[in-house]
Amino acid sequence: MKSLILKTVSTTLLPLLILFSVFVLLRGHYLPGGGFIGGLIAAIAFILHAFANGLDQTRKLIRIHPGFLIPVGLAIAILSALAPVIFTGDPAMTGLWYEKDIAILGKIGSALFFDTGVYLVVIGVCLTIIFTISESV
Amino acid sequence: MTIFLFVILSSFLFALILFGLGQQKFQRMTWVASLLPISLFLYFSSFVSPIINGEVFTFFTKWVPSLGINLDFRLDNLAILFTLLITGVGSIVFLYTTQYLKGHPKILRFYTFLTIFMGAMIGLVTSNNIITLFIFWELTSISSFYLISFNNTQAESRKSAIIALSITGLGGLALLAFAVLAGQITGTLSISEMLQSSEVFENHEVSALLMVFIFLAAFTKSAQFPFHFWLPGAMKAPTPVSTYLHSATMVKAGIYLLLRFTPHFQNNSYFFTVLLIVGGITMLYAAFQTLFKTDLKGILAYSTIGALGIMVFLIGIGTTASITAAIVFIVVHALYKACLFLVTGTIDHQAGTRDITKLGGLRKVLLPLSIAGFIAAFSSGGFPPTIGFIGKDLIYEATLHGGMNPVFLTTIAVLTNILMVFAGLVVGVKPFTGKQPEELGRVKKPHFLLWLMPMLLATLSLLFGIFPGMIESLFTHNITPDLTGEESPHLAIWHGFNLIILLSSITIIAGLAVYFLWKPSYKKESSMIKFNAFSPKRLALVFANQFERISYFLTRFFQNGYLRRYVMIILVLLTLVFGIHIFINPRIFLSLKEIKALNWNEIVVLAMMLVSVLFTVFTKSRLSAIAGMGVLGYTMCFIFVFYGAPDLAMTQFSIDTLTVILFVLVLYRLPKYLKLSNRTNRIRDGIIATSFGTFLAFTIIEIMNENPVKATSEFYAEYAYKLAKGKNVVNVILVDFRGFDTMIEIVVLSIAAIGVFALLKLYLKKHEK
Amino acid sequence: MEILLAIMTGILYAAGIYLILRRSLVKLIIGIVILGNGVNLLIFLMGGLVKGNPPLIPADGKMLEGVFADPVPQALILTAIVISFGLQSFAIVLIKRAYKVLKTDDIDTMNKTDDIK
């Protein structure tokens, strides 16, 4: 499937799609989007790249093993869930919010970190599964 | 009284610490384990004098208050009697075992479970909340299971332990039922508070049920006929376990339960009648069985059952005198039975056999032990001046004034006691008297603990016998009024010449006569075996085997390893349920108006869906099936888009893409589509699938006619921004309101990824290559 | 439309079940995917269909008002879709592996664990 067009397009598309996925993640609290969708888009972006340029190229690009994202994402999610317990003494999963609005993002809170964790886990899971399978075929 | 909670739970902590020591280290310092029962004994002793003066110690803290389950402990007269027995006999057993099992490779396990068991017993007798009582009750069953099966390399041992566990476990279930039922109708789970609504236990419509449950619980635990058979089997345990379980603790739990609830059932005559009958049968039956045993522990097992029968029988008489007799007999029995067990243990340890036909003349080597054995045997037989004599007096006192049928009751009590004299003498006296048989070989002198511990118990039997006032002031003086509301009779060794003395003398003389005339032998033992076909044990085993067979058959029938069969059974059953329901009250309203209101794009999507589904099902190529599946997924996206679910549409789109990629990647490694089933099967499956689909569709239409409850959605709609500062409600639910679910979900996803990775990347075993 | 979608759900269920009842592993997993879509559609229908209005609070509003699509089933389905991907990928790899070891695609020949040597 290494057609030239796909190759060229995917190289350009990859950063755009990643950017888009982060955008979707960040706006998820206000508009359609969120960690799941963002993570899936990012995963698809990488997989598209892998199809066009070969798996090794993509692996080289990512550098780390995608499976590594899973524990990182889980840790972020768990920490943001536990943050209220640690910082304010509220029960776990209580939302914590930074008072002021931030440009573009709107309000920042523990929910956003949680969603980021979800985002990373989803990327990690999808890429691990697809990469593992395509390697072993 | 927080320390009180700590004390009650200390055994469990201690068991953990012991376990942490490790076998190696523990073996060198087994005495450490004895520290706990001794210190607990001293601790509980300190409560004796205030409790005698009428104080009651309680500890209360909430555990699951919404269910009424609390850590509610209460140390009153009855509880202190049992805690002293548990920790006192416990101390002796713990010390004794250091020598008895010296160097045993599993000694650590032994002590750990023994400690847990002791803690459970203490918790059981001090619980004032019936649910915690139940929990400790079950803990005793479970820990005793491990103790009985201690020699777990012997099949016989394991079997006995399983029988014991299933019988006492059955009783545990009954106790739970009793607890829940009593809690429901009295509105409290506190045993002492239940007393205030004791009329419930007399003439409520379920009071009969309450009785059935409490009887099941008490009779299984205390080995009453016909549930007695687990106890002789439990003799497979090491002797210290038998000593502890069957003299002072485990089997007394049932007696404790009955005593504890005597005040509640005070005016319920059925309660007492059943106890009288069951106790009477048990004691006579078990005492009779002792004649036909040759194993010392076998004799002790049946005499224990007999003694428990006597206790139940006494409670069943239900007079002040009989309750007092029961309480005294608990102490009497604990002391002499523990002593006899330990004596047996030492004989076994030194001589290497427990077979009564091979034992004799051991007094020369084991003189101190023989003294202990004699005293215990005398106490068991009710010879003066032991405490057993007073116990026996009280039993006759109770039966003679028992109300219902004094002559009959006294007769069976005398008969039982004659046989108990025999049993005591056979175990405590016979091994030491006469000539030592040649084949016994040289018997070594035991370690001093192995005779000192039984001696200690024997001394107590003697001491209490000479000074019965001690028992009275410590226990009966207070417990009897607690349970019956009346003063206890005065305990004394000599009441003057009267009918009771006459009966006692008859008992002793007749017992001695039986002892000298009746010699236990294998022949007699085997003569009883032919009756085994009708024994409750046999019936229970037959029942258990049949049960297993039927379950095996049913399991094989339903779970035959064919996925199709499972799915079909579930579906056909569901279809029938749906079908009958819809058939009985059809409420389907189909209006053609709606169909007219369709947009062209909706029609296109629906048509695409239909085509892709049918294509997927009927295509003969794998690739087409996957393509059909993919198209189906994308049409789902459109539906989500039409009906206000952009998040879903986006997710579905991405996941569908990934799924198709996944399938295509794996496809070429997968087998070609095979047509494995024949036409008939396909038609049958088609009918099942279609009818289920049809009924499901009808059900959905029917449900959609109802007005859905929107309370949850409205809550989220209102508070998504106010509480969680988000405007995309779906996302707010996912990451905030139900964030915990999402957390679990990503964990599950991670596990799936790890699974995939492991399945494909981990090294294939040789035979798989 | 509700009624047509209800019927469509029934069809998806029937198709899924029919494929699950096959003896071929590949058909089984495709059946599971179709059944999964049917379940999602069922949950979606149970929340009630509302055209247009997604459950998004308007930029100047503080809560959802008026007619809006039910967010609860949507959250449920979103979770279900993602989880089902995990399930499918694991199942398909399991099938691949089982095929590699047993050299068969027939479920009926795999009903005894003891037979695997």
Side-chain angles (χ1 to χ4, degrees), chain B residues 561 685 710 713 727 759 764, chain C residues 22 47 59 70 74 79 97 111:
Chain B
D685 295 347
K710 288 283 184 190
S713 317
K727 293 196 167 173
L759 271 176
L764 280 171
Chain C
R22 301 298 90 220
D70 195 339
Q74 291 195 21
T79 322
R97 183 69 183 261
N111 61 351

Side-chain angles (χ1 to χ4, degrees), chain B residues 72-133:
Chain B
D72 182 3
F73 295 102
R74 187 180 151 93
L75 199 59
D76 61 359
N77 287 301
L78 188 61
I80 195 87
L81 164 69
F82 277 93
T83 47
L84 287 180
L85 280 178
I86 293 161
T87 52
V89 177
S91 310
I92 286 171
V93 168
F94 272 63
L95 282 172
Y96 180 88
T97 314
T98 54
Q99 287 310 314
Y100 186 81
L101 286 182
K102 195 178 171 133
H104 193 284
K106 289 188 291 191
I107 195 163
L108 174 62
R109 183 201 296 188
F110 182 85
Y111 271 107
T112 313
F113 282 121
L114 203 62
T115 310
I116 292 174
F117 176 78
M118 182 177 76
M121 274 311 294
I122 295 174
L124 197 163
V125 297
T126 50
S127 285
N128 189 32
N129 187 293
I130 194 159
I131 296 291
T132 49
L133 184 133

